[in-house]
Amino acid sequence: MESIIAILEKIKAPLLFSSRDSYMHLPMVKDLEATMRSFLKQLQSVSFRNATQNETYAAYKSIISGLEEAIDGYDELPPGDKKERIEKALRILNELKAFVERHSFGISSIQDEKKEQNLKNGEITLEKLSLPLRFVKGVGPKMASLLEKKGLKTVEDLLYFVPRRYEDRRTVKDIKSVSTGITETVIGHVVSALYRSYRNRRAYEVTIEDGSGQLTAKWFKGNLGYLRKIFRKGVRVIMTGEVSTYLFSKDMVHPDFEILDEAESVEDLINFKRIVPVYSETEGLHQKYIRRIMAHAVDNYSQYVLSPIPDEICEKRGLRDIRGAVRSIHFPATDERIEEYNEMRSDAHRRLIYDEFFFLQLAMALKRKTEILDEGIVFRTQGKSLHRFYGILPFTLTNAQKRVIAEIEDDMGRTSSMNRLLQGDVGCGKTVVSMAAMITACENGYQAAIMAPTEILAEQHYNRIEDWSRGLDLSAVLLTSGMKTTERKKIIEGIEKGNTHITCGTHALIQKDVTFRKLGLVVIDEQHRFGVVQRAQLRQKGVNPDVLVMTATPIPRTLAMTVYGDLDISVIDECPPGRKEIRTKVFFENERNRVYEIMRMELRKGNQIFVVYPLVEESENLDLKDATKMADYLRREIFPEHKVGLIHGRVKGKQKDETMAGFLKKDIDILVCTTVIEVGIDIPHASLIVIEHAERFGLSQLHQLRGRVGRSDIPSFCILMSHRRSSEDATKRLRVMEQTNDGFKIAEEDLAIRGPGEFMGTRQSGVPDFRIAHILRDADILFEARADAFSLAEHISGLENDKYALLKKILLHRWGGRFELAKTG
Ligand code: ADP
Ligand code: MG
């Protein structure tokens, strides 16, 4: 592969030389035909790796014979015909190059074949790619540490550090014909270089001349002493910059430039006369420097890049050769379409994006496969208790709930263990669904556990579950970290002895001293608040228990595929009947009195109100009114006739319970709180939620908070208090809230505005760091890669198969960390 491209370049050189400057050099090129023929012979000696590629080979041959025709009898032709033949040959060469890159997996020369064999054992290539950057030519320890700040530690990191955008510097213009206001590139000799003083500042000015006219480059800042040293009269220089006019002269202020060695061929430049990559910069790391080390890395290491995606897949998806893609992504050929590069839509981009998605999806597919192979518990489903449970519920299940329970029961009845994600908007009734699953587990003689992220939520689960359990002769307990030692001991004992059927709790559940007698089902509520590790830890408390994770933050499909790609997904897409839409409106600080009026109206109707704050206490540099102050203010100044309660992260145990119970019993009318109430809490008479500093919350979080009201058939409202000074993004978020109540739509918007990492919250929540791929922009590629990876996983038995040894090596290299983690889960 390498050498075909190399041969093509060699053939191209004399043709290009002949054509340059309107065929000025044509008469100087002698014996072109003979030279070309010898190259052609090399091209014809290319061999095929396997016989099934005959069609490709035939196509290749026919392109080569076209080339042969173009040069046949060339030396004897008159100049006019020669031009025509050269043009034709160049056209065919481009075609051939594209063809070779497209089919690189099918063609290689014998020589390449050997090299390829060496690379195939993977060791050398991983070693080369893992080389720390400080050992790369041109990168010293100082630069290495700057690069590391950008997350670039190894040669591989560098090669996958793709340009932010590309600049078109392909055409060098005559100075005479450059246009004002446009970025142009010119070449000329320095005719003068001097300091000039303007009214209040000094500039270093370099004037160049190219035979058609003169242009002046101006520097007002930077290392002027250095400029003075290098711009000596007569020096040849190339410059790119936006052209402006000053009085009668053409100017470029702070252009990019390079001194041209008189002998140096302009063709070798990496900063000019081509499509030039522009990287994201850091203090001390400049474009030209990054380009220089990148060019070095591409020249010397891109041949080690490996991506053993099977040929069939590459062919089916039209994926080009990975090494070519790495080269092009940094230094696109002059005839490439720059728009495609700038939109990250070039073949080179597509190849690398596909690659990233494919390996992650393959890791997930294989992880899922091993988990499925683990012997799980086979539960008997549709038992008597379940029907008794449906009987004691004061409502009938929605169709969505019924469907999802059936999906879960189906999983539970299988030999393989369940690994299912249940998604559903706030208030759609996930708790009932999880209870159904827990009942099935208990009926089979197993224990069940449900873990929630906050104490309040765990308590709420407990209260409901305990209530249901009593009617079903099951015993349920609550385990949180806020408990007294003696109480805790008693509860742990019950769990260990097996007297307890269902355990509700917080992180306290995964403490070391908690052991279950026979844990068969694990439910994790509000999964996005926990990490992969915690899910694994709870799972380990049993022997291959079934796992159901639930989330009320709907996760867009593309993100779910990358974060929870190893889980089956169920969706509750329907809310219990009778729920009214929550009307939402943004208010600004100067409208606060109107907000108090609205609050008063709701209170008069006998409804309750939440007032939510982002922080617990006033911090020194944020001018946030904190929850405590606000509670006092509302109590004393605004609503003296009403009861105001307060809950935040530091209000603990009994006091918090009392307040919560008071609010639930309607002893308290207004509950001022921080985001501890964010998830799950159910207060049927709350009809209004006022969210202070709404601009500081993410969309999904706002949606969660809003879900605290509208939990019955009372018309409900959400008021978002905002500052006029809020950022554009924040304002956009708040408008989205006004427009829709649909959790999935909100999630999509949130993801688009904040990006995957922020969307999921913490790092541990498991959004992989993609180098190039973007799950929204590249969703189509993600779907393809996922389908391909999952179907490939079907054919790989535990990755032991030799045919896939290299694939496995690369997979472990890329996602090894996670993959190991997966084994513990
Ligand atoms: P979430 O999905 O947000 O966890 P919950 O399970 O807390 O929702 O349920 C929200 C409220 O809706 C609870 O009060 C619950 O009893 C009630 N609920 C659940 N399912 C139904 C249904 N099918 N019909 C009516 N009310 C329901
Ligand atoms: Mg819930």
Side-chain angles (χ1 to χ4, degrees):
M1 173 56 213
E2 306 302 328
S3 59
I4 296 186
I5 296 287
I7 299 169
L8 291 180
E9 293 300 326
K10 276 193 235 155
I11 303 182
K12 217 172 174 175
L15 296 173
L16 277 178
F17 180 74
S18 313
S19 70
R20 195 165 306 139
D21 300 331
S22 334
Y23 291 91
M24 202 167 82
H25 309 289
L26 192 68
M28 287 148 60
V29 183
K30 303 282 181 231
D31 292 332
L32 186 71
E33 190 174 342
T35 322
M36 297 290 285
R37 281 197 189 281
S38 84
F39 287 138
L40 276 181
K41 242 193 215 125
Q42 293 180 32
L43 282 181
Q44 278 155 344
S45 77
V46 159
S47 81
F48 276 73
R49 229 177 274 159
N50 55 51
T52 61
Q53 307 268 335
N54 274 335
E55 240 170 71
T56 321
Y57 190 49
Y60 176 75
K61 282 275 191 188
S62 99
I63 300 176
I64 291 183
S65 55
L67 201 55
E68 211 171 351
E69 261 169 46
I71 57 156
D72 193 40
Y74 172 90
D75 289 348
E76 312 303 323
L77 293 171
D81 291 355
K82 279 187 173 168
K83 275 189 205 168
E84 217 167 87
R85 291 292 188 90
I86 285 177
E87 271 167 26
K88 185 172 171 198
L90 281 171
R91 236 180 6 252
I92 296 175
L93 275 177
N94 281 340
E95 189 187 335
L96 190 57
K97 187 173 167 221
F99 181 88
V100 166
E101 282 182 345
R102 217 163 41 239
H103 294 279
S104 59
F105 42 87
I107 308 174
S108 63
S109 72
I110 294 166
Q111 208 180 344
D112 287 340
E113 195 92 342
K114 279 203 207 100
K115 211 154 89 192
E116 195 88 346
Q117 256 350 334
N118 284 338
L119 291 178
K120 280 239 154 127
N121 76 30
E123 294 304 340
I124 315 169
T125 106
L126 292 184
E127 199 186 300
K128 293 274 184 193
L129 294 178
S130 309
L131 186 72
L133 283 176
R134 66 178 181 283
F135 299 127
V136 170
K137 200 178 143 217
V139 187
K142 190 171 148 233
M143 283 307 182
S145 77
L146 284 175
L147 289 162
E148 190 161 343
K149 279 201 194 117
K150 290 198 96 40
L152 309 176
K153 292 189 199 123
T154 63
V155 166
E156 183 176 5
D157 295 337
L158 189 66
L159 288 175
Y160 284 99
F161 181 59
V162 307
R164 205 155 44 79
R165 61 185 179 83
Y166 299 82
E167 224 169 81
D168 194 346
R169 299 186 183 173
R170 284 176 290 192
T171 7
V172 174
K173 284 254 181 92
D174 285 346
I175 289 175
K176 180 180 64 173
S177 54
V178 297
S179 326
T180 313
I182 290 176
T183 299
E184 307 259 35
T185 301
V186 296
I187 296 180
H189 289 95
V190 175
V191 290
S192 75
L194 44 87
Y195 282 109
R196 254 188 79 168
S197 289
Y198 289 84
R199 198 162 299 153
N200 46 12
R201 50 185 187 161
R202 214 156 77 112
Y204 192 64
E205 299 193 355
V206 176
T207 301
I208 61 167
E209 137 98 56
D210 71 348
S212 78
Q214 293 195 344
L215 180 140
T216 302
K218 297 182 177 176
W219 284 270
F220 293 96
K221 55 181 196 228
N223 188 348
L224 303 188
Y226 167 72
L227 296 176
R228 199 174 147 191
K229 231 185 280 164
I230 60 168
F231 283 114
R232 275 189 302 258
K233 242 189 193 164
V235 157
R236 203 162 147 254
V237 61
I238 184 164
M239 289 181 173
T240 293
E242 193 182 317
V243 179
S244 50
T245 39
Y246 179 76
L247 300 178
F248 296 105
S249 78
K250 284 174 176 152
D251 286 4
M252 280 184 190
V253 175
H254 299 157
D256 256 19
F257 67 90
E258 197 149 319
I259 305 291
L260 297 176
D261 203 310
E262 206 54 61
E264 184 184 30
S265 139
V266 179
E267 302 304 318
D268 292 338
L269 294 179
I270 53 173
N271 293 300
F272 296 96
K273 286 216 83 175
R274 61 177 315 136
I275 298 176
V276 176
V278 181
Y279 298 91
S280 115
E281 285 182 9
T282 313
E283 186 80 39
L285 272 183
H286 299 295
Q287 290 304 332
K288 276 182 164 174
Y289 173 75
I290 303 178
R291 272 179 219 138
R292 193 172 74 229
I293 58 166
M294 195 64 87
H296 176 79
V298 166
D299 281 350
N300 294 281
Y301 296 98
S302 64
Q303 72 260 35
Y304 297 109
V305 174
L306 262 189
S307 168
I309 297 176
D311 290 357
E312 306 84 73
I313 295 179
C314 292
E315 207 145 6
K316 179 170 132 204
R317 300 294 185 192
L319 299 176
R320 61 181 289 192
D321 163 57
I322 185 104
R323 296 164 195 160
V326 168
R327 283 192 291 267
S328 302
I329 219 163
H330 295 290
F331 300 103
T334 313
D335 51 4
E336 298 274 12
R337 277 196 288 265
I338 189 170
E339 308 77 35
E340 283 181 358
Y341 275 80
N342 272 325
E343 286 159 16
M344 310 274 175
R345 276 280 167 230
S346 71
D347 279 356
H349 284 91
R350 213 171 75 80
R351 179 62 176 86
L352 296 185
I353 291 165
Y354 181 95
D355 192 75
E356 276 198 303
F357 284 144
F358 180 83
F359 280 97
L360 176 66
Q361 292 300 325
L362 187 62
M364 287 184 161
L366 292 169
K367 180 189 166 202
R368 202 169 89 145
K369 211 169 134 182
T370 38
E371 277 180 0
I372 286 175
L373 291 179
D374 287 347
E375 280 290 288
I377 305 157
V378 182
F379 294 98
R380 273 174 294 103
T381 56
Q382 293 296 327
K384 273 200 201 105
S385 304
L386 199 54
H387 290 282
R388 261 170 74 196
F389 176 54
Y390 296 153
I392 61 174
L393 285 177
F395 47 74
T396 44
L397 297 176
T398 61
N399 286 330
Q401 284 171 320
K402 284 184 202 154
R403 189 191 65 236
V404 168
I405 290 176
E407 287 167 359
I408 291 169
E409 293 253 294
D410 190 52
D411 279 359
M412 292 181 78
R414 288 174 193 270
T415 340
S416 49
S417 36
M418 170 165 75
N419 238 326
R420 188 167 283 278
L421 171 70
L422 172 55
Q423 287 203 54
D425 213 341
V426 264
C428 70
K430 292 183 292 292
T431 317
V432 180
V433 170
S434 68
M435 184 66 187
M438 290 193 280
I439 291 169
T440 296
C442 296
E443 204 173 22
N444 281 267
Y446 285 88
Q447 291 170 296
I450 176 166
M451 179 160 76
T454 63
E455 297 207 358
I456 293 189
L457 195 58
E459 270 168 53
Q460 179 180 289
H461 279 324
Y462 170 70
N463 290 335
R464 275 196 222 158
I465 288 167
E466 211 271 331
D467 209 31
W468 290 325
S469 295
R470 256 186 279 120
L472 300 165
D473 306 315
L474 295 174
S475 101
V477 295
L478 174 67
L479 185 66
T480 62
S481 37
M483 284 178 155
K484 285 207 195 74
T485 328
T486 46
E487 201 186 346
R488 181 182 146 85
K489 234 177 158 177
K490 221 177 79 199
I491 288 172
I492 291 180
E493 220 176 82
I495 298 172
E496 199 172 345
K497 289 216 173 102
N499 299 335
T500 298
H501 298 112
I502 300 176
T503 309
C504 309
T506 54
H507 293 83
L509 286 183
I510 51 179
Q511 298 308 307
K512 269 213 186 69
D513 58 344
V514 182
T515 38
F516 288 81
R517 200 175 120 82
K518 211 179 168 193
L519 183 62
L521 173 70
V522 164
V523 180
I524 295 164
D525 196 16
E526 307 302 342
Q527 159 70 21
H528 67 291
R529 294 290 202 90
F530 295 107
V532 189
V533 181
Q534 285 149 325
R535 191 189 347 155
Q537 280 170 339
L538 187 52
R539 189 169 185 257
Q540 275 165 352
K541 300 266 178 194
V543 180
N544 288 335
D546 279 0
V547 177
L548 177 67
V549 299
M550 309 199 289
T551 172
T553 308
I555 301 166
R557 200 153 80 100
T558 49
L559 188 59
M561 275 180 186
T562 46
V563 180
Y564 302 120
D566 55 326
L567 303 178
D568 293 303
I569 298 181
S570 287
V571 179
I572 303 185
D573 48 9
E574 175 191 6
C575 271
R579 296 268 159 79
K580 293 242 167 64
E581 190 163 285
I582 304 161
R583 286 173 50 200
T584 303
K585 196 165 164 19
V586 176
F587 282 84
F588 294 101
E589 205 46 47
N590 57 347
E591 301 169 296
R592 188 168 277 281
N593 286 333
R594 274 188 57 208
V595 173
Y596 292 148
E597 267 168 49
I598 297 172
M599 288 171 74
R600 202 178 303 280
M601 264 159 51
E602 285 308 302
L603 292 169
R604 229 177 262 145
K605 286 187 224 160
N607 296 333
Q608 292 168 288
I609 299 172
F610 283 106
V611 180
V612 185
Y613 275 86
L615 278 187
V616 185
E617 266 159 43
E618 202 157 28
S619 77
E620 280 162 358
N621 37 19
L622 295 174
D623 66 334
L624 296 180
K625 291 201 190 72
D626 65 45
T628 316
K629 260 198 189 153
M630 186 60 171
D632 280 345
Y633 177 69
L634 289 179
R635 198 178 282 141
R636 257 186 262 141
E637 311 283 332
I638 313 288
F639 301 112
E641 71 280 22
H642 289 286
K643 280 222 50 169
V644 179
L646 172 67
I647 289 190
H648 54 63
R650 309 232 175 121
V651 176
K652 286 276 179 248
K654 229 175 104 200
Q655 194 192 339
K656 185 184 69 189
D657 289 348
E658 275 169 17
T659 310
M660 222 38 234
F663 196 49
L664 199 57
K665 277 191 303 200
K666 287 189 78 177
D667 290 344
I668 290 173
D669 306 303
I670 302 173
L671 183 64
V672 179
C673 52
T674 58
T675 44
V676 290
I677 60 123
E678 182 190 338
V679 282
I681 295 186
D682 208 8
I683 307 285
H685 286 278
S687 66
L688 171 62
I689 182 163
V690 179
I691 303 174
E692 299 276 357
H693 300 282
E695 76 279 355
R696 294 185 190 267
F697 292 90
L699 258 183
S700 297
Q701 213 182 0
L702 287 174
H703 180 64
Q704 280 280 335
L705 288 169
R706 179 167 63 179
R708 294 313 103 216
V709 299
R711 316 261 303 177
S712 64
D713 51 8
I714 312 173
S716 301
F717 307 91
C718 171
I719 289 176
L720 303 172
M721 295 298 300
S722 168
H723 276 275
R724 287 207 184 274
R725 293 180 264 115
S726 308
S727 74
E728 205 177 307
D729 268 4
T731 313
K732 231 200 248 166
R733 283 202 293 272
L734 301 185
R735 294 295 165 214
V736 172
M737 289 297 292
E738 284 185 327
Q739 280 151 19
T740 181
N741 270 288
D742 180 334
F744 276 90
K745 230 184 245 160
I746 287 171
E748 299 272 354
E749 293 280 345
D750 198 19
L751 183 58
I753 295 173
R754 293 195 299 165
E758 288 268 311
F759 178 91
M760 294 299 290
T762 54
R763 264 189 83 75
Q764 58 159 4
S765 59
V767 183
D769 287 324
F770 290 124
R771 288 155 156 158
I772 306 160
H774 188 283
I775 59 173
L776 290 178
R777 184 192 65 208
D778 307 321
D780 51 339
I781 306 176
L782 170 60
F783 294 140
E784 286 178 3
R786 181 172 170 89
D788 296 345
F790 272 70
S791 89
L792 179 65
E794 290 299 310
H795 304 294
I796 304 178
S797 47
L799 276 179
E800 268 88 50
N801 197 332
D802 256 347
K803 188 177 163 198
Y804 298 111
L806 186 60
L807 189 72
K808 177 186 178 181
K809 201 170 266 171
I810 300 294
L811 187 64
L812 287 177
H813 171 66
R814 302 228 190 139
W815 297 106
R818 257 182 202 241
F819 208 56
E820 284 305 307
L821 199 63
K823 279 186 188 146
T824 69

